[in-house]
Amino acid sequence: MSEGPGSEVGSSESLDGLADREGWRVEGSAARVHYEGEGDRYSVEYYAPSGCVIYWKVPPAEGGETAVPVGRDTVPTPLRERIRMDLEAAGVDPGVERRSL
């Protein structure tokens, strides 16, 4: 991970930085943003203690289904790029977005 203020795993500064980014909301030790584009809906979560990003595919509002975690290779590239930019702007190493669980 990169050196610098707020970049360490579990940093409250990194969560504060994400809270300042458009659409992000902090809940405890995690931050979440929702994305909708090209007919798909996603919820993206960053977990500070482990430095992980998880993508969830969210069903249509009228679908009544449950959101399910999805692999990064199924997530649109523009969304993944946006997440990396937001992480970097918040002082988090953007490479955590590529980590496998």
Side-chain angles (χ1 to χ4, degrees):
M1 296 197 14
S2 65
E3 300 292 322
S7 64
E8 62 275 357
V9 173
S11 168
S12 63
E13 291 86 9
S14 62
L15 289 174
D16 291 342
L18 283 173
D20 292 339
R21 304 294 296 168
E22 182 181 348
W24 284 88
R25 185 178 70 218
V26 173
E27 298 173 2
S29 60
R32 175 182 299 138
V33 66
H34 296 277
Y35 169 84
E36 187 169 347
E38 299 181 22
D40 292 324
R41 295 173 48 192
Y42 293 91
S43 178
V44 183
E45 298 174 345
Y46 167 71
Y47 293 91
S50 57
C52 293
V53 174
I54 299 176
Y55 292 93
W56 296 81
K57 182 87 178 247
V58 178
E62 65 279 351
E65 301 167 20
T66 302
V68 295
V70 294
R72 283 167 186 74
D73 58 336
T74 66
V75 177
T77 300
L79 173 56
R80 292 189 62 199
E81 290 172 351
R82 176 197 168 184
I83 298 307
R84 287 192 296 270
M85 289 185 330
D86 284 350
L87 290 170
E88 185 171 34
V92 178
D93 176 3
V96 302
E97 186 273 338
R98 294 180 175 95
R99 284 187 184 164
S100 295
L101 301 179

